[in-house]
Amino acid sequence: MENGMEETLMFDKSLLSRIDFEERSKAKFHPAASPSNPGDSLVLRPLSTADFERGYCQLLSGLTIVGEVTPEKYLATFNAMKETGIYYATVVEDTSRNLIVATATLILEQKFIHECALRGRIEEVVVNKDYRGQQLGKLLMSVLTLLSQDLGCYKTTLECAESNIPFYEKFGYVKDKEVYMQNRH
Amino acid sequence: MENGMEETLMFDKSLLSRIDFEERSKAKFHPAASPSNPGDSLVLRPLSTADFERGYCQLLSGLTIVGEVTPEKYLATFNAMKETGIYYATVVEDTSRNLIVATATLILEQKFIHECALRGRIEEVVVNKDYRGQQLGKLLMSVLTLLSQDLGCYKTTLECAESNIPFYEKFGYVKDKEVYMQNRH
């Protein structure tokens, strides 16, 4: 760790490059953008162990409380997530600054219903405020929605602020009649 | 399989009996009921491999489309869920009929936020219509909410029909300001 964390990815990055993005993305990009071409000096890829040092947790703190996450705790959590094979934490790195500037995570949930189907959930969607208006949230949402479909999910769901409904509608999400309830312990 | 499936539980059943239920349950039971005493000829326990033959999938079909689930597919799905260690599918069996009459599942989700916390989700809550009014849904919801807390979750969430909000409020759930969106593929 003295010389930087080893670069281990949370999932196979070819899953992202394999998506036939231009053909299938419901959201339109102006200027053109895709997973393999997110913008100047930007790279879209799976979360890496070394992203702890690239400010991944600071980025998440734009979303909610992150608290103190040590490198050891980050690695243990990363490894636990990777081991299950159901977490697809995806990031955009600005390689000119060695900085994670956007992220979203797809999580697969196994069901017995629908002939033992998978269901996708999208969580922790956040873009660094200096990088807003550069279509990075749109790119991540579009790619993770297609990835969820490619991985066999019969549906993908998320929870969002009322004001963000129009954003998510771009990718085919619709407000459901079910309501979201929570219980804080 | 000729002589019935082997009885393997999805998770350690002592997790249920260890819950200090009477002290902590927010919902009240009349007549008295608890995980160790759900009612005459009823047993509350983790889902078992053999529950395929006790009508677990038929029970789920009261909730949504289950489709054709073969014993092999059930077992493969069961084992995949068990292996991750994050699925707590819980059932009530009527032992006098060898029948699963109620179920609910708690699923744990790993986060980096909140100091790498766990979040609980409750899914697939369903009670056989002949067994409604016997507090079984209430018992399952109460026990899984406490289990989620005992397993270290900072919150537990679920989605439900508007008409079921009062039911879930009994266990401390409140309607969140976030909205639930879905995308069917």
mmCIF file of all heavy atoms in Angstrom, chain A residues 2 4 16 18 25 75 83 85 92-93 130 139-140 143 161:
data_model
loop_
_atom_site.group_PDB
_atom_site.id
_atom_site.type_symbol
_atom_site.label_atom_id
_atom_site.label_comp_id
_atom_site.label_asym_id
_atom_site.label_seq_id
_atom_site.Cartn_x
_atom_site.Cartn_y
_atom_site.Cartn_z
ATOM 1 N N GLU A 2 2.105 1.155 0.507
ATOM 2 C CA GLU A 2 2.989 2.337 0.522
ATOM 3 C C GLU A 2 3.157 2.920 -0.880
ATOM 4 O O GLU A 2 3.255 4.108 -1.052
ATOM 5 C CB GLU A 2 4.368 1.971 1.087
ATOM 6 C CG GLU A 2 4.409 1.746 2.592
ATOM 7 C CD GLU A 2 3.811 0.415 3.001
ATOM 8 O OE1 GLU A 2 3.718 -0.487 2.153
ATOM 9 O OE2 GLU A 2 3.422 0.298 4.167
ATOM 10 N N GLY A 4 1.009 2.623 -3.370
ATOM 11 C CA GLY A 4 -0.270 2.636 -4.078
ATOM 12 C C GLY A 4 -0.889 1.256 -4.080
ATOM 13 O O GLY A 4 -0.194 0.243 -4.075
ATOM 14 N N LEU A 16 -18.437 -4.263 -20.191
ATOM 15 C CA LEU A 16 -18.829 -2.905 -20.583
ATOM 16 C C LEU A 16 -18.556 -2.658 -22.062
ATOM 17 O O LEU A 16 -19.402 -2.123 -22.780
ATOM 18 C CB LEU A 16 -18.088 -1.868 -19.733
ATOM 19 C CG LEU A 16 -18.342 -1.942 -18.221
ATOM 20 C CD1 LEU A 16 -17.426 -0.992 -17.473
ATOM 21 C CD2 LEU A 16 -19.802 -1.630 -17.914
ATOM 22 N N ARG A 18 -18.385 -4.774 -24.382
ATOM 23 C CA ARG A 18 -19.162 -5.678 -25.222
ATOM 24 C C ARG A 18 -20.584 -5.169 -25.507
ATOM 25 O O ARG A 18 -21.277 -5.679 -26.373
ATOM 26 C CB ARG A 18 -19.267 -7.041 -24.516
ATOM 27 C CG ARG A 18 -18.625 -8.183 -25.291
ATOM 28 C CD ARG A 18 -18.905 -9.485 -24.586
ATOM 29 N NE ARG A 18 -17.944 -9.778 -23.539
ATOM 30 C CZ ARG A 18 -18.173 -10.566 -22.489
ATOM 31 N NH1 ARG A 18 -19.369 -11.096 -22.305
ATOM 32 N NH2 ARG A 18 -17.232 -10.821 -21.619
ATOM 33 N N SER A 25 -28.708 2.251 -26.850
ATOM 34 C CA SER A 25 -28.938 3.273 -25.821
ATOM 35 C C SER A 25 -30.171 4.105 -26.142
ATOM 36 O O SER A 25 -30.293 4.648 -27.239
ATOM 37 C CB SER A 25 -27.712 4.182 -25.720
ATOM 38 O OG SER A 25 -28.016 5.270 -24.865
ATOM 39 N N LEU A 75 -10.823 -1.996 1.259
ATOM 40 C CA LEU A 75 -10.400 -3.238 0.597
ATOM 41 C C LEU A 75 -11.242 -4.434 1.022
ATOM 42 O O LEU A 75 -11.625 -5.258 0.197
ATOM 43 C CB LEU A 75 -8.932 -3.528 0.902
ATOM 44 C CG LEU A 75 -7.914 -2.857 -0.004
ATOM 45 C CD1 LEU A 75 -6.506 -3.233 0.404
ATOM 46 C CD2 LEU A 75 -8.170 -3.236 -1.481
ATOM 47 N N GLU A 83 -16.414 -10.802 -4.394
ATOM 48 C CA GLU A 83 -16.565 -12.246 -4.203
ATOM 49 C C GLU A 83 -17.973 -12.751 -4.528
ATOM 50 O O GLU A 83 -18.138 -13.840 -5.057
ATOM 51 C CB GLU A 83 -16.195 -12.615 -2.759
ATOM 52 C CG GLU A 83 -15.868 -14.076 -2.592
ATOM 53 C CD GLU A 83 -15.335 -14.375 -1.185
ATOM 54 O OE1 GLU A 83 -14.781 -13.452 -0.549
ATOM 55 O OE2 GLU A 83 -15.492 -15.518 -0.735
ATOM 56 N N GLY A 85 -19.902 -11.576 -6.763
ATOM 57 C CA GLY A 85 -20.131 -11.526 -8.211
ATOM 58 C C GLY A 85 -21.404 -10.816 -8.627
ATOM 59 O O GLY A 85 -21.823 -10.924 -9.775
ATOM 60 N N VAL A 92 -16.216 6.659 -13.613
ATOM 61 C CA VAL A 92 -15.535 7.434 -14.655
ATOM 62 C C VAL A 92 -14.338 8.100 -13.978
ATOM 63 O O VAL A 92 -14.490 8.774 -12.954
ATOM 64 C CB VAL A 92 -16.457 8.508 -15.270
ATOM 65 C CG1 VAL A 92 -15.692 9.343 -16.294
ATOM 66 C CG2 VAL A 92 -17.682 7.852 -15.920
ATOM 67 N N GLU A 93 -13.150 7.850 -14.530
ATOM 68 C CA GLU A 93 -11.930 8.465 -14.001
ATOM 69 C C GLU A 93 -11.476 9.570 -14.944
ATOM 70 O O GLU A 93 -11.471 9.397 -16.169
ATOM 71 C CB GLU A 93 -10.813 7.409 -13.892
ATOM 72 C CG GLU A 93 -9.511 8.024 -13.359
ATOM 73 C CD GLU A 93 -8.304 7.082 -13.427
ATOM 74 O OE1 GLU A 93 -8.480 5.896 -13.731
ATOM 75 O OE2 GLU A 93 -7.187 7.578 -13.179
ATOM 76 N N ASP A 130 -18.061 19.474 -10.387
ATOM 77 C CA ASP A 130 -17.289 20.138 -11.444
ATOM 78 C C ASP A 130 -17.444 19.461 -12.804
ATOM 79 O O ASP A 130 -16.991 19.998 -13.819
ATOM 80 C CB ASP A 130 -15.785 20.154 -11.094
ATOM 81 C CG ASP A 130 -15.525 20.942 -9.837
ATOM 82 O OD1 ASP A 130 -16.383 21.770 -9.449
ATOM 83 O OD2 ASP A 130 -14.464 20.725 -9.208
ATOM 84 N N LEU A 139 -24.419 8.727 -19.177
ATOM 85 C CA LEU A 139 -23.625 7.622 -19.732
ATOM 86 C C LEU A 139 -23.639 6.414 -18.785
ATOM 87 O O LEU A 139 -23.860 5.269 -19.209
ATOM 88 C CB LEU A 139 -22.205 8.123 -19.966
ATOM 89 C CG LEU A 139 -21.286 7.277 -20.833
ATOM 90 C CD1 LEU A 139 -21.879 7.045 -22.218
ATOM 91 C CD2 LEU A 139 -19.924 7.973 -20.972
ATOM 92 N N LEU A 140 -23.413 6.662 -17.518
ATOM 93 C CA LEU A 140 -23.406 5.570 -16.534
ATOM 94 C C LEU A 140 -24.769 4.892 -16.445
ATOM 95 O O LEU A 140 -24.868 3.661 -16.428
ATOM 96 C CB LEU A 140 -22.984 6.095 -15.160
ATOM 97 C CG LEU A 140 -21.488 6.332 -14.977
ATOM 98 C CD1 LEU A 140 -21.229 7.189 -13.733
ATOM 99 C CD2 LEU A 140 -20.729 5.005 -14.864
ATOM 100 N N VAL A 143 -25.420 2.835 -19.635
ATOM 101 C CA VAL A 143 -24.617 1.618 -19.743
ATOM 102 C C VAL A 143 -25.028 0.578 -18.692
ATOM 103 O O VAL A 143 -25.113 -0.624 -18.990
ATOM 104 C CB VAL A 143 -23.102 1.948 -19.718
ATOM 105 C CG1 VAL A 143 -22.614 2.300 -18.340
ATOM 106 C CG2 VAL A 143 -22.295 0.792 -20.292
ATOM 107 N N ALA A 161 -35.023 10.960 -6.161
ATOM 108 C CA ALA A 161 -35.767 12.156 -5.759
ATOM 109 C C ALA A 161 -36.802 12.457 -6.838
ATOM 110 O O ALA A 161 -36.552 12.226 -8.028
ATOM 111 C CB ALA A 161 -34.810 13.330 -5.598
#
